[in-house]
DNA sequence: CGATGTGAAAGGTTTCACAGCT
DNA sequence: AGCTGTGAAACCTTTCACATCG
């Protein structure tokens, strides 16, 4: 709760859970991306024993101005009054709570080729609150070959397993031609978000968040951007 | 060609490739990202025998409005007059030329763990004009284990090899703690862009484009975004 | 003083509306 | 008619400037 006195009027601002949740819809998309990066940064710095951090320092780490960082953080409401920058632990929890990053979320992976298998072994996921609970592949032989603690299923069971286990997130690491069908199965199972490593341009459905990651597209963007910086020198 | 007379000096302005490239600096960043996606789409549809496409159709594929698509395409100058949508081949070449996606670019990969090895085998890269010409790893034993047509080197040779071969792009697939040193070596070698698959937040240098790809960060963004759509219902 | 918090201005991007072409 | 091309308006995001606090 914040109390302030301005122009002869007493302002009492009460931030409740629901008003915070509603406010979130007012957060600009770039701000959400930056806040997630800041959250990541705070985790890292806290592990390294850093307990206080200014907006200027945060900006330097994530490649943004101090203004932007303060504005971003303030979309989630007031946190640290005054002096010596932000308390790292406090801000980290603040972001966690307001961004809804508390607790563990269940995730699965579709496509157990080289890339899929690599992601399956990514230990940091569980440490960050994302539990890989299922893997899928069209090729049944692959399910026997791969050694993992996670249960593996044939691709046609995606919908059932996702729904039954309440899996919220999925990684798509199948070849392009299999991507759309797999995405449909995930969506039918009630998945909330898909991180798509295939080069397929998925037809999205309302309510499902899709993030596309395509190395070739990234290379092209880098090429165009670096072409720019050279030409404009 | 424009001719003008100012302060006793005759100005002759010829629009060459390089001055057109200079114009590119006026293209908004989101537009550049979308144009790369559109380029990808056009390649795909052309292969499937589609020869004509309206801005509305393109928009449906990439998740944007027809307005946006037309505006984006027009940043690169006029292409098809009038009626029946865009000629796919024409537009594809138009984008290729104006975005500087002609010819082949040399790329390398740093870090030959599971992820790095998977990317090394990504055949589609060469088809898209990006030639993997070198791989690096700190662990010399790994260099002998991996079977590949590409020459592999120990990590300390990054700077030399990148410079000598004129490698422009790099994929960083090393553990977080090794990422910054590897990035420095790449930058010292004159790399133009880095696609960073490690969770490290790299300190960037002017003139080098860095694109960060971190699955955990993507999961968090998806979580926040899908949390939003529920709370605001 | 040097930090955050925040309304207001500036800047950038998207959307609109319609001209112009086939 | 139906499409692209494009200036102008609307909208969103960043930056600024300064009040405020310790």
């Amino acid at each position: 709760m914040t109390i302030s006195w301005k122009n002869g009027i007493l302002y009492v601002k009460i931030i409740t859970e629901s008003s915070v949740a509603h406010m979130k819809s007012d957060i600009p998309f770039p701000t959400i991306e930056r806040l997630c990066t800041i959250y990541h940064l705070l985790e890292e710095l806290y592990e390294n024993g850093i307990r206080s951090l200014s907006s200027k320092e945060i900006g330097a780490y994530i490649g943004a101005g101090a203004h932007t960082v303060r504005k971003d953080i303030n979309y989630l409401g007031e946190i640290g009054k005054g002096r010596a920058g932000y308390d790292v632990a406090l801000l980290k929890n603040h972001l966690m709570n307001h961004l809804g990053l508390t607790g563990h979320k269940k995730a699965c992976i579709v496509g157990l080729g080289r890339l899929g298998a690599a992601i399956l072994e990514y230990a940091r996921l569980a440490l960050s609150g994302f539990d890989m609970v299922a893997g899928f592949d069209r090729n049944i032989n692959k399910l026997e070959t791969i050694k993992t603690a996670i249960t593996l299923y044939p691709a046609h069971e995606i919908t059932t397993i996702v729904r039954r286990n309440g899996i919220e997130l999925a990684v798509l690491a199948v070849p392009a031609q299999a991507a759309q069908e797999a995405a449909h199965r995930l969506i039918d199972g009630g998945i909330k978000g898909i991180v798509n490593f295939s080069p397929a341009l998925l037809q999205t459905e309302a309510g499902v968040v899709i993030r596309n990651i395509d190395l070739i597209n990234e290379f092209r963007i880098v090429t165009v951007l670096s072409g720019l910086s050279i030409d404009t020198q």
Side-chain angles (χ1 to χ4, degrees), chain A residues 146-208:
Chain A
I146 294 175
K147 303 184 289 186
T148 170
I150 290 148
T151 318
L152 304 181
Y153 306 87
H156 62 82
E157 293 190 38
I158 291 174
T159 305
T160 318
I161 301 294
V162 166
R163 167 149 297 135
R164 185 194 301 159
N165 296 23
I167 297 172
E168 298 182 79
L169 299 161
V171 176
L172 248 189
V174 300
Q177 69 271 14
Q180 185 66 65
E181 189 189 22
H184 274 141
R185 285 175 168 160
L186 289 165
I187 292 168
D188 286 348
I191 208 86
K192 285 187 178 175
I194 299 173
V195 178
N196 174 29
F197 279 88
S198 93
L201 298 166
L202 302 176
Q203 293 310 106
T204 88
E205 312 226 349
V208 179

Side-chain angles (χ1 to χ4, degrees), chain A residues 56 78 115 124-125:
Chain A
K56 195 174 157 188
E78 210 169 272
L115 179 62
R124 193 188 282 255
L125 272 177

Side-chain angles (χ1 to χ4, degrees), chain A residues 78-100:
Chain A
E78 210 169 272
I79 163 88
K81 279 275 180 196
R83 200 180 55 195
Y86 299 96
D87 180 282
V88 172
L90 219 65
L91 180 55
K92 189 157 69 73
N93 279 319
H94 192 70
L95 294 187
M96 188 176 73
N97 292 327
H98 287 75
L99 294 176

